[in-house]
Amino acid sequence: MKPRPAVFLDRDGVINVFPGDGHYVLSWAEFRFMPRVRENLARLKKAGFALVLVTSQRCVGRGLMTQATLDEIHARMQAELGSERLDAIYCCPHHPDEDCPCHKPEPWMIRQAAREHGLDLARSFVIGDSGRDIAMGRAAGCRTALCRQNLPRPEDVPPEKRADRMFATLDEAVDWVLSASGFPL
């Protein structure tokens, strides 16, 4: 079977509303989807992309939440997404000071997903809201889109953390992914 392309998505700030620097989504009651997430995931699925969540959830490693609670949040997120549910979820739950291979910007989560799901990284994209997401995508050989309302000036971003493109909304990022892949909008 020919490897298929994927869109790797960060969670907080892309799929759900970012809780703010130093804050975490610690329960399902705190989880709020970003606008038009379902519609945009449906567009990507229709174009044939695998959809993979790649998220750092340091709150588990810091003891602010259990792995079971995180798993419950992800299960409820998937249930709410219904037919637009993600194909896979990869998570780094480790404390930021812990030595692990999956901390962003290391590309371990992306490469693991590619191995387990037969994904073509050269035709894949990462949509994230931070420089770590972009550096991870670049290290894995994917094209990258920074997606957040308050975009930095490109000259203020170190070269290794610069996205191929920057967008204020997920709608715009998905338009670019589809256009760059030759799909009609």
Side-chain angles (χ1 to χ4, degrees), residues 11-12 16-26 30 56-59 62 64-65:
R11 196 189 84 180
D12 299 335
N16 62 281
V17 175
F18 180 65
D21 288 333
H23 299 279
Y24 303 96
V25 174
L26 299 176
E30 297 175 3
S56 293
Q57 294 298 317
R58 296 180 175 116
C59 50
R62 291 182 172 177
L64 302 173
M65 172 196 314

Side-chain angles (χ1 to χ4, degrees), residues 137-165:
R138 291 172 64 93
C142 301
R143 287 180 276 181
T144 59
L146 183 70
C147 182
R148 69 177 187 215
Q149 290 180 339
N150 298 318
L151 293 171
R153 296 181 326 181
E155 60 270 18
D156 293 339
V157 180
E160 71 278 3
K161 293 183 178 182
R162 279 189 200 138
D164 292 309
R165 297 291 301 272

Side-chain angles (χ1 to χ4, degrees), residues 3-185:
R4 71 180 184 155
V7 176
F8 298 94
L9 301 135
D10 181 44
R11 196 189 84 180
D12 299 335
V14 176
I15 298 293
N16 62 281
V17 175
F18 180 65
D21 288 333
H23 299 279
Y24 303 96
V25 174
L26 299 176
S27 69
W28 178 249
E30 297 175 3
F31 190 97
R32 300 283 179 266
F33 282 105
M34 292 289 282
R36 296 186 35 80
V37 165
R38 289 176 192 88
E39 294 88 347
N40 282 301
L41 295 179
R43 292 170 63 207
L44 292 168
K45 278 187 175 257
K46 185 177 178 182
F49 286 98
L51 302 179
V52 180
L53 189 74
V54 286
T55 182
S56 293
Q57 294 298 317
R58 296 180 175 116
C59 50
V60 174
R62 291 182 172 177
L64 302 173
M65 172 196 314
T66 65
Q67 183 66 49
T69 300
L70 179 62
D71 293 343
E72 177 192 348
I73 291 169
H74 287 161
R76 291 183 77 170
M77 174 190 73
Q78 290 282 69
E80 286 287 322
L81 289 172
S83 61
E84 285 79 38
R85 68 185 293 127
L86 302 160
D87 296 298
I89 296 174
Y90 290 83
C91 178
C92 175
H94 304 109
H95 190 282
D97 296 335
E98 193 174 334
D99 185 27
C100 81
C102 54
H103 279 308
K104 293 177 183 179
E106 295 301 321
W108 184 90
M109 290 187 278
I110 291 175
R111 289 184 178 149
Q112 187 69 18
R115 282 189 293 276
E116 291 178 1
H117 299 280
L119 304 175
D120 182 348
L121 296 181
R123 296 186 316 152
S124 295
F125 297 81
V126 171
I127 300 176
D129 70 334
S130 76
R132 289 185 313 277
D133 298 323
I134 301 311
M136 175 185 64
R138 291 172 64 93
C142 301
R143 287 180 276 181
T144 59
L146 183 70
C147 182
R148 69 177 187 215
Q149 290 180 339
N150 298 318
L151 293 171
R153 296 181 326 181
E155 60 270 18
D156 293 339
V157 180
E160 71 278 3
K161 293 183 178 182
R162 279 189 200 138
D164 292 309
R165 297 291 301 272
M166 296 192 306
F167 303 98
T169 68
L170 184 58
D171 287 324
E172 295 168 336
V174 170
D175 284 348
W176 173 70
V177 167
L178 295 174
S179 176
S181 301
F183 294 99
L185 299 181

